[in-house]
Amino acid sequence: MTFRDASDREITYLRISLTDRCNFRCVYCMPDENMEWIPRDEILTFEELELIVSVFAKHNLKRIRLTGGEPLLRKGICDLIRRFRNLGIDEIALTTNAFLLPKFADALKKAGLTHINVSFDSLEPDTFKKISRNQKLDRVLDGLQSAQDAGFENIKLNSVIIRGINDHEILNLVTFAAERKHILRFIEFMPIGLGTVWGDTSVPLGEIRQKLSEQGNLVPEKKKMGMGPARYWTFSSNSISPTPIGFISALSSCFCDDCNRIRITPTGGLRACLADDREEDLATLIRAEKTDADKKRVVEETVHRALAAKKPSHDFTFDEEVNTLKRMHAIGG
């Protein structure tokens, strides 16, 4: 039987953050300095993650997404993917900054990874550095090519448009994605975590659609695509063949009615909603039990408890201060 939350929504999508560490310092995710990383002995082990996922697998779990931080910094990630595939999970996705894909793309494909999303906010080296605080745009581009060469199709590019920083690149990002057969998704900058540049910098996605409509034809898709929150439109112009563009509008057009996911943080915090800092401490609970049977029982009980407390909707607005204290890299992007 599928896990359901208090609003009777089916939970079929599990997002697992493997680490809070990252080789970038994106302005919407973490501060530039004075970072305090989670001690390694507090991070869930692969054996613990395998046990947790085995419980979800018996409840009709359809997809896992591996996030971070930067998940490719977690040693042995390909082994973890194989473990999840052996549990019968057919869709395993990864969200990455692509910096390490030249090294890992082939191995990830062989291990059974099925989908790749890449955080990709700028095509301009100076703007890329301003957002990511990393100078290696060329390495990210190499990573995208490596993923394609390894056989990954429909690679998704996630772009956060920040007013005054990269809002002049909207059409260029669309063109880049269309030429390479990637799927571009624009994501509204969300008020998550202290130390980011949140303020009047978030651009409503309606504003982005308006700009694109002035540059070509933008038509909404009639059918929902994928398991995530993106709503897709098709864009075309004199120079761009019809290409899908996703819009993830957490602030301007809440999609909570269709929520199908739950999150696990690197330390085993079971988080029913990204925008709600309440977490169940799965790590402590399962480590207190001696047998796998008891650990699995505790996982199932804890998931039911967390979902029973899940709110019908989040409280994000453009006008408030940050909504959560924990930063995105520590939750799982």
Side-chain angles (χ1 to χ4, degrees), residues 110-171:
K110 291 175 182 176
L113 188 74
T114 55
H115 300 81
I116 289 181
N117 289 14
V118 174
S119 300
F120 192 80
D121 304 308
S122 178
L123 287 158
E124 300 174 357
D126 288 344
T127 304
F128 176 85
K129 180 181 177 181
K130 186 179 295 184
I131 295 174
S132 68
R133 302 176 178 128
N134 184 294
Q135 301 182 40
K136 301 294 186 179
L137 174 59
D138 56 343
R139 180 65 177 259
V140 171
L141 296 174
D142 288 345
L144 284 170
Q145 187 61 54
S146 296
Q148 281 193 307
D149 292 345
F152 288 101
E153 299 178 350
N154 298 322
I155 297 169
K156 294 184 174 69
L157 306 181
N158 294 338
S159 295
V160 177
I161 299 301
I162 306 172
R163 195 178 304 282
I165 297 181
N166 65 340
D167 50 345
H168 62 288
E169 290 193 69
I170 293 169
L171 187 60

Side-chain angles (χ1 to χ4, degrees), residues 22 49 73 84 93-94 100 107 134 145-147 183 186 191 205 207 211-212 239 243 261 271 291 310 332:
C22 191
L49 286 169
L73 291 175
F84 291 162
L94 177 82
L100 292 172
N134 184 294
Q145 187 61 54
S146 296
I183 299 174
F186 291 111
L205 294 191
E207 185 176 320
K211 289 184 178 181
L212 288 173
S239 59
T243 186
R261 56 205 162 278
R271 194 176 179 105
T291 69
K310 185 170 181 173

Side-chain angles (χ1 to χ4, degrees), residues 13-16 18 62-67 71 77 81 84 89-96 112-117 152 156:
Y13 185 3
L14 176 62
R15 299 177 68 101
I16 300 173
L18 299 181
K62 294 180 179 178
R63 172 180 280 199
I64 289 174
R65 178 168 298 281
L66 302 176
T67 70
I77 186 172
I81 292 168
F84 291 162
I89 308 300
D90 293 329
E91 289 194 42
I92 303 176
L94 177 82
T95 296
T96 174
L113 188 74
T114 55
H115 300 81
I116 289 181
N117 289 14
F152 288 101
K156 294 184 174 69

Side-chain angles (χ1 to χ4, degrees), residues 36-276:
E36 295 184 5
W37 305 114
I38 299 170
R40 294 187 187 278
D41 62 355
E42 295 181 15
I43 303 290
L44 286 176
T45 67
F46 283 2
E47 289 73 23
E48 288 168 335
L49 286 169
E50 185 177 14
L51 182 141
I52 291 168
V53 169
S54 73
V55 175
F56 277 91
K58 293 181 178 179
H59 288 268
N60 198 30
L61 181 70
K62 294 180 179 178
R63 172 180 280 199
I64 289 174
R65 178 168 298 281
L66 302 176
T67 70
E70 171 49 52
L72 294 180
L73 291 175
R74 182 72 184 266
K75 186 177 180 180
I77 186 172
C78 291
D79 174 52
L80 184 65
I81 292 168
R82 284 189 287 268
R83 292 182 188 220
F84 291 162
R85 290 303 297 263
N86 288 338
L87 291 172
I89 308 300
D90 293 329
E91 289 194 42
I92 303 176
L94 177 82
T95 296
T96 174
N97 58 35
F99 187 87
L100 292 172
L101 280 178
K103 177 181 179 181
F104 285 105
D106 286 332
L108 291 167
K109 186 68 174 178
K110 291 175 182 176
L113 188 74
T114 55
H115 300 81
I116 289 181
N117 289 14
V118 174
S119 300
F120 192 80
D121 304 308
S122 178
L123 287 158
E124 300 174 357
D126 288 344
T127 304
F128 176 85
K129 180 181 177 181
K130 186 179 295 184
I131 295 174
S132 68
R133 302 176 178 128
N134 184 294
Q135 301 182 40
K136 301 294 186 179
L137 174 59
D138 56 343
R139 180 65 177 259
V140 171
L141 296 174
D142 288 345
L144 284 170
Q145 187 61 54
S146 296
Q148 281 193 307
D149 292 345
F152 288 101
E153 299 178 350
N154 298 322
I155 297 169
K156 294 184 174 69
L157 306 181
N158 294 338
S159 295
V160 177
I161 299 301
I162 306 172
R163 195 178 304 282
I165 297 181
N166 65 340
D167 50 345
H168 62 288
E169 290 193 69
I170 293 169
L171 187 60
N172 288 343
L173 289 165
V174 171
T175 302
F176 176 87
E179 289 177 347
R180 289 157 181 79
K181 307 300 182 184
H182 299 324
I183 299 174
L184 180 66
R185 290 114 58 82
F186 291 111
I187 303 175
E188 282 177 341
F189 187 1
M190 292 176 278
I192 296 174
L194 300 174
T196 68
V197 296
W198 170 258
D200 58 356
T201 56
S202 185
V203 179
L205 294 191
E207 185 176 320
I208 295 176
R209 286 194 292 269
Q210 179 61 37
K211 289 184 178 181
L212 288 173
S213 295
E214 294 169 0
Q215 300 290 329
N217 297 314
L218 188 64
V219 180
E221 291 285 345
K222 294 181 180 180
K223 294 193 299 183
K224 188 176 185 297
M225 296 171 57
M227 294 184 63
R231 298 297 179 263
Y232 283 88
W233 298 54
T234 296
F235 178 80
S236 61
S237 68
N238 291 335
S239 59
I240 300 176
S241 299
T243 186
I245 302 176
F247 295 89
I248 300 178
S249 312
L251 283 79
S252 62
S253 182
C254 177
F255 42 74
C256 294
D257 285 350
D258 296 327
C259 186
N260 61 352
R261 56 205 162 278
I262 192 168
R263 297 168 182 264
I264 296 175
T265 71
T267 56
L270 186 67
R271 194 176 179 105
C273 176
L274 172 62
D276 188 343

Side-chain angles (χ1 to χ4, degrees), residues 276-302:
D276 188 343
D277 270 332
R278 292 179 300 166
E279 295 177 4
E280 293 281 350
D281 187 357
L282 265 182
T284 297
L285 291 169
I286 62 176
R287 289 170 183 173
E289 302 295 335
K290 294 183 178 181
T291 69
D292 281 355
D294 284 336
K295 292 176 189 289
K296 291 178 180 180
R297 172 184 54 78
V298 166
V299 170
E300 184 159 355
E301 292 172 352
T302 306

